[in-house]
Amino acid sequence: MGDIDRAFIVEPEHRPKSSTIEVEEIPVIDLSGETKQLASEIGNACRNWGFFQVINHGVPLELRNRVEKVAKTFFNLPIEEKRKVKRDEVNFTGYHDKEHTKNVRDWKEVFDMLIQEPTILPASPDPDDEEITTYTNKWPEYPPEFRETCQEYSRETEKLAFKLLELISLSLGLPASRLSDYFKDQTSMLRFNYYPPCPSPELALGVGRHRDGGALTVLAQDDVGGLQIKRQSDGEWIPVKPIPNAYIINIADSLQVWSNDLYVSAEHRVVVNSKRERFSIPYFFFPSHYAAVKPLEELVNDQNPAKYKEYNWGKYYVNRTGSNYKKLNAENVQIDHFKTSG
């Protein structure tokens, strides 16, 4: 079965197919435009794709170059050095190289850091357990500029995430600030992804098919490519072509629920290749741990009843987080589990 450990091998029906089909691109939105027009364009992208790219977004290119350099420098360190800041059972931040998606090991290494320090989350997914846990980041000694660069970059990406949240609110016919209160004590996370060349790219995935759990994701990717999204109309996997200095934005599960299925949290995955390493940096924009996620009352009426039952973001997150780090006998929780029966 190729030259890779069986833990990485994806079931045959989910393996990547080599395709040369020319496909339409996901929407590219210029954020220097007029607010009303931007809200309209973003609304269309959220309905039809769940993904779009943004340009003229306000994050300085010089800062993005610096954070990409820091990420590459860290992943190039000896494994013994990287494991000094290894994720453990107590604290999920830091370095990790054994992440699982759909119970199959991903062909990648990651470094995770929290945006707010400290970040508070429930101690367990048990709905009756009221205990909370406080998390802080693990920072590597090398490169020495790692922490400062990551914190500076996070502040700029956070501004972009809030701007997008306001435009999404407007696109739903709601006030710009309608969703902001859900993020007062955000549990957001910045991640560095490193995908080494894979000797059997037809058998493995950098990240298996999944949907993001939070509100939205702001992704910086390099010029190698590899991200694919599942097209709503026919279920085909569509490659997202890298645009220099653009960000890829995707709607995540919480926003699908808040919008009562008006907007879609699209399934996506990452394919790998045998020749070039790939780096990407997602900013996962997550609500406060106490946030209640349910369809917004302004979007629900007799003709369009709520499609989801309420759930607590923190409990949902902790449940999903636990299953990403090791192989489990059951698939982790999804928003479909909260669908109403009507």
Side-chain angles (χ1 to χ4, degrees), residues 100-232:
H100 288 72
T101 306
K102 307 288 185 188
N103 283 330
V104 178
R105 189 170 165 190
D106 296 330
W107 190 269
K108 68 173 178 181
E109 299 174 28
V110 307
F111 188 95
D112 287 336
M113 61 210 98
L114 296 160
I115 303 304
Q116 284 202 348
E117 198 165 15
T119 288
I120 295 171
L121 285 166
S124 81
D126 179 355
D128 298 320
D129 183 1
E130 295 183 7
E131 190 177 341
I132 57 171
T133 302
T134 301
Y135 292 93
T136 54
N137 284 315
K138 295 176 180 158
W139 296 108
E141 201 174 336
Y142 302 104
E145 67 275 18
F146 189 100
R147 178 174 185 167
E148 186 180 340
T149 305
C150 291
Q151 289 176 331
E152 186 182 349
Y153 179 79
S154 295
R155 285 192 293 272
E156 291 299 321
T157 320
E158 179 184 60
K159 288 179 197 170
L160 175 57
F162 271 108
K163 179 176 182 176
L164 291 165
L165 190 72
E166 291 185 353
L167 289 166
I168 289 167
S169 296
L170 290 169
S171 75
L172 288 165
L174 304 170
S177 61
R178 175 62 177 89
L179 296 167
S180 302
D181 282 353
Y182 290 110
F183 296 85
K184 278 183 176 171
D185 298 298
Q186 60 174 292
T187 54
S188 303
M189 194 171 75
L190 187 71
R191 165 172 286 186
F192 291 164
N193 284 318
Y194 169 54
Y195 304 95
C198 178
S200 302
E202 73 284 356
L203 296 178
L205 287 167
V207 186
R209 71 195 198 285
H210 69 287
R211 297 183 312 200
D212 293 349
L216 54 88
T217 303
V218 179
L219 175 75
Q221 68 166 348
D222 62 16
D223 64 346
V224 176
L227 176 66
Q228 296 183 341
I229 68 173
K230 198 171 191 178
R231 189 161 53 193
Q232 303 304 308

Side-chain angles (χ1 to χ4, degrees), residues 204-271:
L205 287 167
V207 186
R209 71 195 198 285
H210 69 287
R211 297 183 312 200
D212 293 349
L216 54 88
T217 303
V218 179
L219 175 75
Q221 68 166 348
D222 62 16
D223 64 346
V224 176
L227 176 66
Q228 296 183 341
I229 68 173
K230 198 171 191 178
R231 189 161 53 193
Q232 303 304 308
S233 56
D234 57 10
E236 281 291 315
W237 288 102
I238 307 300
V240 178
K241 185 179 176 183
I243 297 175
N245 194 31
Y247 280 96
I248 298 165
I249 313 299
N250 66 275
I251 296 302
D253 287 351
S254 300
L255 257 170
Q256 177 166 333
V257 173
W258 283 327
S259 76
N260 204 29
D261 279 355
L262 286 172
Y263 293 169
V264 62
S265 171
E267 210 168 26
H268 51 288
R269 68 183 186 183
V270 174
V271 298

Side-chain angles (χ1 to χ4, degrees), residues 304-325:
N304 188 33
K307 296 181 171 68
Y308 297 91
K309 293 174 282 196
E310 179 179 319
Y311 62 89
N312 169 268
W313 162 251
K315 296 289 185 183
Y316 181 78
Y317 178 35
V318 168
N319 181 297
R320 283 175 64 105
T321 303
S323 65
N324 287 347
Y325 304 156

Side-chain angles (χ1 to χ4, degrees), residues 14 95 121 244 333:
H14 297 303
Y95 173 76
L121 285 166
V333 68

